[in-house]
Amino acid sequence: MELFCLEKDTVVRAQKDPNIFCDERVLQSLLTVEDRYVPQGPYFKCVQKDIQPFMRKMVATWMLEVCEEEKCEDDVFPLAMNYLDRFLAAVPTRKCYLQLLGAVCLFLASKLKACQPLSARKLCMYTDNSITSQQLLWELVVLSKLKWNLAAITPLDFIEHILHKLPFHEDRLTLIRKHTQTFIALCATDHSFTMYPPSMIATGCVGAAVCGLQSSQSNQSLWGDNLMELLAKITNTELDCLKSCQEQIEQLLTDSLKESQQQHQQQQQDGRASNKGTQSQNLSCTPTDVRDVNL
Amino acid sequence: MSNVRLSNGSPTLERMEARLSDQPKPSACRNLFGPVDHEELKKDFQRQLRTMEDASAEAWNFDFSTHTPRADGRYQWEALDIRSVPGFYSRSERGKGSDIHISSSGNNNDNNVDVNGNHDCRVTEQSAETPETLREPRKRSSCLDSSCQSKRSHICVDEVTRTPRKPKKPRKPLSPTPT
């Protein structure tokens, strides 16, 4: 007799509540409140002396990798980046503390959003044990500086409201949603989007996703200016700002694709070089390879 | 004869350990900005906590470190009789004595972090005066056992006190006598 465990590791999500997504007041409330959670002022010029934009990108990329490795919910990473930006906009921070700050922000965001929060031990492991779990108590400082306002509005909060108003089939919307989430994560890694309202980023990402998918297909029912006008109307965004934002997102995507291709080529070259070394190591040191002996 | 390859024979423990340690770490495991000065970080943290405490004391006109009201400010504090406030304000915490350190089963030395990575926020460095016996993990007395309360059918207000008592035997509810 065999015992089977039928429990699955997949996260069970609540179904979409029509009372939320069909009610215009919810979207209006989000639009009203969203500005409270946007960092005030460009902090690289005013607040931070030791931290440069490329360092933020390094931390953000690392945080995204941790989230992917741990299969965190989609909300965790953008929320953690929101905490990071709001903290950096308020508190001058040393370069050597930046990874600790990133880990703390992930820790807090996962406690708020994830079904299974990231453990302190794992986060320390991901920093290559350069910090201890004791030092994650910096979360108290972060909480204090953020005035305990943790339920921040992120671009992901707007996706369903926008997609609900687009005239596409459900299977198509699933694909658009997936691409949009990827674009939002990408925007969170780039410092030039920190000052943008979440609704604008969400709208721009949806626009970029729809355009990207429709350019590869013949059916172009909603395209170009028609799409932009509809999206601008949904989130009360100025059309010019939205166009500019979408172009920026598309440019960011192009740059990141180039970057990843270069890295991939570099890895392949490194792999070829190391293969030559390992081939000689792989040869058996006995006349008849022990691995080939059959009993 | 069976067609078994020698190399696939079950390895000894030593070989097994070596193989496990050779497994690559996740690609995300990396230190981004070099070594952290732990002492400096600790000082910074203490300084930040002090700043937070001072801000709280200023806001509430109350010194939270000594649990005493401040002289003048917006709020006037007055002591209340312990019987006039709900029980949880006076009840002692269960199994959270600051001197009891329960060691985790793993190799992690941070004893005040539980399995889920949650902290016991009362981080106190053990002083030299702490007896050696208290540092070791020890069995809890029966009064700290969480099952103790549930075994008792009735709990009077005066039974829940700071001083631990021996658990009473569960009282049987009085059954109605047939007439």
Side-chain angles (χ1 to χ4, degrees):
Chain A
M1 188 181 86
E2 288 186 66
L3 293 174
F4 291 106
C5 179
L6 298 175
E7 287 183 20
K8 293 175 183 172
D9 283 342
T10 52
V11 176
V12 179
R13 281 286 193 186
Q15 291 182 334
K16 292 180 196 69
D17 187 350
N19 293 313
I20 292 173
F21 298 113
C22 297
D23 194 334
E24 194 62 33
R25 292 175 302 170
V26 178
L27 179 58
Q28 289 310 314
S29 297
L30 285 171
L31 291 167
T32 307
V33 176
E34 67 171 346
D35 288 333
R36 293 182 200 171
Y37 302 100
V38 177
Q40 302 303 310
Y43 57 80
F44 288 115
K45 291 175 184 173
C46 313
V47 184
Q48 300 301 333
K49 303 279 187 288
D50 201 16
I51 293 171
Q52 302 295 318
F54 78 90
M55 294 175 190
R56 181 197 178 275
K57 191 174 180 68
M58 280 172 73
V59 173
T61 308
W62 171 76
M63 287 163 74
L64 182 57
E65 281 178 41
V66 171
C67 288
E68 284 172 353
E69 201 90 47
E70 289 298 312
K71 297 181 175 64
C72 293
E73 279 83 342
D74 297 316
D75 321 54
V76 172
F77 174 64
L79 191 62
M81 288 309 299
N82 176 274
Y83 298 163
L84 184 92
D85 287 325
R86 281 162 60 201
F87 185 87
L88 291 176
V91 184
T93 307
R94 295 188 196 182
K95 177 179 76 173
C96 57
Y97 295 173
L98 192 55
Q99 191 171 16
L100 169 62
L101 179 61
V104 165
C105 291
L106 274 179
F107 199 33
L108 288 169
S110 74
K111 283 181 182 181
L112 194 75
K113 290 285 185 182
C115 299
Q116 281 188 304
L118 291 166
S119 74
R121 209 171 292 170
K122 269 188 180 171
L123 276 171
C124 293
M125 181 198 77
Y126 279 115
T127 65
D128 206 16
N129 294 308
S130 62
I131 62 168
T132 64
S133 45
Q134 190 64 47
Q135 286 164 349
L136 285 175
L137 271 173
W138 265 89
E139 65 180 343
L140 296 174
V141 178
V142 174
L143 286 166
S144 170
K145 298 297 178 187
L146 299 184
K147 297 184 171 63
W148 290 80
N149 290 327
L150 295 191
I153 290 167
T154 66
L156 284 172
D157 294 320
F158 290 95
I159 292 181
E160 292 306 324
H161 290 281
I162 297 167
L163 295 183
H164 183 74
K165 293 179 170 66
L166 295 183
F168 294 118
H169 290 296
E170 187 53 46
D171 55 343
R172 188 120 180 82
L173 285 176
T174 306
L175 199 57
I176 294 169
R177 186 182 292 111
K178 203 174 177 182
H179 281 229
T180 305
Q181 285 169 345
T182 306
F183 291 165
I184 286 171
L186 195 62
C187 290
T189 61
D190 195 87
H191 79 280
S192 54
F193 290 92
T194 50
M195 303 286 295
Y196 287 20
S199 58
M200 191 191 285
I201 295 171
T203 316
C205 287
V206 171
V210 173
C211 290
L213 286 167
Q214 284 195 339
S215 61
S216 61
Q217 294 187 4
S218 56
N219 177 26
Q220 296 183 357
S221 55
L222 196 60
W223 181 251
D225 290 341
N226 293 338
L227 172 68
M228 295 302 279
E229 281 170 23
L230 175 60
L231 290 172
K233 194 189 287 184
I234 292 168
T235 53
N236 301 331
T237 311
E238 287 182 25
L239 196 58
D240 293 341
C241 294
L242 185 56
K243 278 181 180 173
S244 161
C245 180
Q246 188 175 319
E247 283 166 14
Q248 222 173 323
I249 291 164
E250 285 164 356
Q251 185 59 50
L252 178 63
L253 180 65
T254 310
D255 294 344
S256 70
L257 284 171
K258 278 180 190 170
E259 204 175 298
S260 64
Q261 281 172 352
Q262 285 171 355
Q263 282 178 351
H264 188 64
Q265 285 171 355
Q266 186 67 43
Q267 283 171 353
Q268 281 183 332
Q269 286 171 1
D270 293 345
R272 285 195 201 105
S274 62
N275 271 352
K276 288 173 185 174
T278 52
Q279 276 172 357
S280 58
Q281 285 175 6
N282 206 24
L283 293 172
S284 173
C285 54
T286 52
T288 307
D289 195 341
V290 176
R291 290 167 290 188
D292 294 332
V293 174
N294 293 331
L295 291 176
Chain B
M1 295 291 281
S2 62
N3 199 24
V4 180
R5 288 161 67 90
L6 268 180
S7 60
N8 290 351
S10 37
T12 60
L13 279 173
E14 291 80 30
R15 278 172 65 197
M16 194 71 166
E17 273 177 25
R19 192 177 294 176
L20 282 171
S21 64
D22 287 343
Q23 281 183 339
K25 291 181 191 173
S27 60
C29 278
R30 58 181 184 272
N31 181 359
L32 299 179
F33 304 108
V36 177
D37 186 345
H38 295 286
E39 281 305 310
E40 192 63 35
L41 184 62
K42 199 173 186 179
K43 283 176 192 169
D44 274 1
F45 180 56
Q46 295 299 337
R47 190 163 57 246
Q48 292 278 10
L49 285 184
R50 266 199 301 277
T51 309
M52 284 157 60
E53 272 185 20
D54 292 346
S56 298
E58 194 71 40
W60 296 103
N61 188 39
F62 190 87
D63 193 337
F64 290 98
S65 53
T66 58
H67 290 279
T68 51
R70 282 180 159 192
D72 42 42
R74 284 178 64 195
Y75 300 101
Q76 190 178 342
W77 295 86
E78 55 182 69
L80 288 175
D81 184 2
I82 201 162
R83 285 166 294 188
S84 66
V85 294
F88 63 81
Y89 286 112
S90 57
R91 206 176 298 153
S92 59
E93 289 186 84
R94 295 180 174 277
K96 262 207 172 185
S98 56
D99 56 346
I100 300 173
H101 289 266
I102 300 159
S103 61
S104 57
S105 56
N107 299 335
N108 193 9
N109 294 328
D110 300 323
N111 289 340
N112 41 10
V113 180
D114 72 7
V115 181
N116 295 325
N118 299 318
H119 294 278
D120 175 4
C121 284
R122 296 186 299 164
V123 182
T124 51
E125 290 183 19
Q126 286 180 329
S127 58
E129 295 92 62
T130 313
E132 200 59 37
T133 51
L134 289 180
R135 293 190 189 186
E136 293 168 5
R138 63 183 189 189
K139 290 181 181 176
R140 297 180 187 178
S141 58
S142 57
C143 65
L144 293 176
D145 186 11
S146 58
S147 61
C148 163
Q149 288 283 1
S150 59
K151 286 177 186 170
R152 294 155 70 177
S153 53
H154 304 289
I155 300 168
C156 307
V157 177
D158 58 338
E159 279 177 14
V160 184
T161 57
R162 284 182 173 277
T163 52
R165 298 183 181 186
K166 287 182 182 177
K168 296 180 181 178
K169 289 178 183 176
R171 286 183 262 178
K172 291 179 183 175
L174 295 170
S175 54
T177 51
T179 51

